[in-house]
Amino acid sequence: MPLTSYSVDEKQVALIRLEREKARNAMNTELLEELLAHLDKAKGDDDVRVLVISSNDHLGLSAGADVKEELDEDGRVRRMELFAQLYDTLVSFPKPTVAACHGSVVGGGAEVAVACDLRVGGSNLRMRFPGAELGVPVGPARLVSLCGLATAKYLLLTSRNVGADEALRMGLVHRVAPAAGTEDAALDLAAEVAVHPPEAVAQLKQMLHRWDGVVERSADEGRGQVEWQRTGPGLPYRS
């Protein structure tokens, strides 16, 4: 049974939903592979102008990596490679991307959100980057671009939860919506972008990323996190 879904509406907005709510939308190998397949499909679809990432549970976009997934050593490295590929694919995605950040947006879920171009926060948002707590060398490449060095340090070194209002002040989200309406608000924001000429929008995004250098930083960070999984302690397994 699929762990995600993919659809395109009449406004040429594609919607990818994480649909593993019984596991708090934790991302296992299968889910990561599905997400990458959807992104590849949306990238090549001329009828898609903007992409939205959401979940079917407004209580959480994603709790991050599925630390209960039973994998051997090679499988854990493979999963980390998929995480790095997912972040890099989102950062370099040629079309605008929007994340619906409702409820729990933690670890890999938070990295997916900040790899998108725009974010709508639900009023129940709890965003957290637990890299320091878990020892995972991930986060700086995209956060620094998003909210600046000082705020990135604060978020990454404390691993604290951030609510909707604080996230809005920090620039982590662009709008705040009622929890149950976060996805609709993200789709509305995507529709505002989709009305513009796609060639112009793509060129502007490319220029912004080239001058910022986030694509290269993200790729470099991804190589580091895979090497950490291969030769270091790696993500913990919790039965």
Side-chain angles (χ1 to χ4, degrees), residues 204-222:
L204 284 170
K205 178 173 176 176
Q206 184 182 58
M207 291 167 64
L208 288 163
H209 281 190
R210 184 172 67 247
W211 291 338
D212 179 74
V214 65
V215 172
E216 292 76 20
R217 288 201 308 275
S218 181
D220 184 64
E221 182 175 279

Side-chain angles (χ1 to χ4, degrees), residues 49-81:
R49 292 192 173 191
V50 185
L51 173 72
V52 172
I53 295 183
S54 182
S55 74
N56 63 348
D57 180 9
H58 74 268
L59 296 180
L61 175 62
S62 175
D66 182 2
V67 295
K68 294 184 178 181
E69 183 179 15
E70 294 186 22
L71 297 168
D72 59 17
E73 185 174 338
D74 289 342
R76 288 191 288 272
V77 171
R78 168 64 177 157
R79 184 179 60 184
M80 188 62 80
E81 289 174 338

Side-chain angles (χ1 to χ4, degrees), residues 43-217:
K43 180 179 179 179
D45 189 344
D46 292 337
D47 289 332
V48 173
R49 292 192 173 191
V50 185
L51 173 72
V52 172
I53 295 183
S54 182
S55 74
N56 63 348
D57 180 9
H58 74 268
L59 296 180
L61 175 62
S62 175
D66 182 2
V67 295
K68 294 184 178 181
E69 183 179 15
E70 294 186 22
L71 297 168
D72 59 17
E73 185 174 338
D74 289 342
R76 288 191 288 272
V77 171
R78 168 64 177 157
R79 184 179 60 184
M80 188 62 80
E81 289 174 338
L82 290 171
F83 270 111
Q85 184 181 349
L86 176 61
Y87 304 153
D88 288 348
T89 300
L90 277 169
V91 169
S92 63
F93 199 73
K95 304 170 186 182
T97 53
V98 184
C101 302
H102 35 213
S104 179
V105 185
V106 177
E111 293 298 337
V112 165
V114 300
C116 291
D117 299 310
L118 304 171
R119 283 154 300 283
V120 174
S123 58
N124 63 341
L125 175 67
R126 299 181 310 282
M127 183 177 282
R128 190 161 74 94
F129 301 86
E133 178 184 327
L134 300 176
V136 186
V138 63
R142 292 166 291 276
L143 264 183
V144 169
S145 288
L146 184 63
C147 57
L149 181 61
T151 299
K153 286 180 177 180
Y154 177 62
L155 293 169
L156 292 170
L157 300 182
T158 64
S159 296
R160 69 188 302 278
N161 275 305
V162 176
D165 291 339
E166 190 174 10
L168 185 64
R169 290 196 301 272
M170 290 178 171
L172 288 172
V173 300
H174 299 93
R175 298 178 182 177
V176 173
T182 310
E183 182 181 289
D184 287 340
L187 290 168
D188 288 343
L189 178 56
E192 290 180 32
V193 178
V195 299
H196 301 309
E199 297 83 4
V201 170
Q203 183 178 12
L204 284 170
K205 178 173 176 176
Q206 184 182 58
M207 291 167 64
L208 288 163
H209 281 190
R210 184 172 67 247
W211 291 338
D212 179 74
V214 65
V215 172
E216 292 76 20
R217 288 201 308 275

Side-chain angles (χ1 to χ4, degrees), residues 1-51:
M1 185 174 179
L3 304 178
T4 62
S5 65
Y6 176 87
S7 60
V8 182
D9 67 16
E10 69 282 355
K11 297 178 181 177
Q12 296 184 287
V13 174
L15 173 63
I16 296 175
R17 278 201 191 112
L18 281 65
E19 298 187 345
R20 199 181 177 220
E21 65 274 13
K22 290 184 179 179
R24 299 172 61 217
N25 287 313
M27 292 182 276
N28 60 6
T29 300
E30 182 182 353
L31 190 147
L32 291 166
E33 289 173 341
E34 287 184 21
L35 287 177
L36 285 164
H38 292 323
L39 289 172
D40 187 60
K41 183 176 181 179
K43 180 179 179 179
D45 189 344
D46 292 337
D47 289 332
V48 173
R49 292 192 173 191
V50 185
L51 173 72

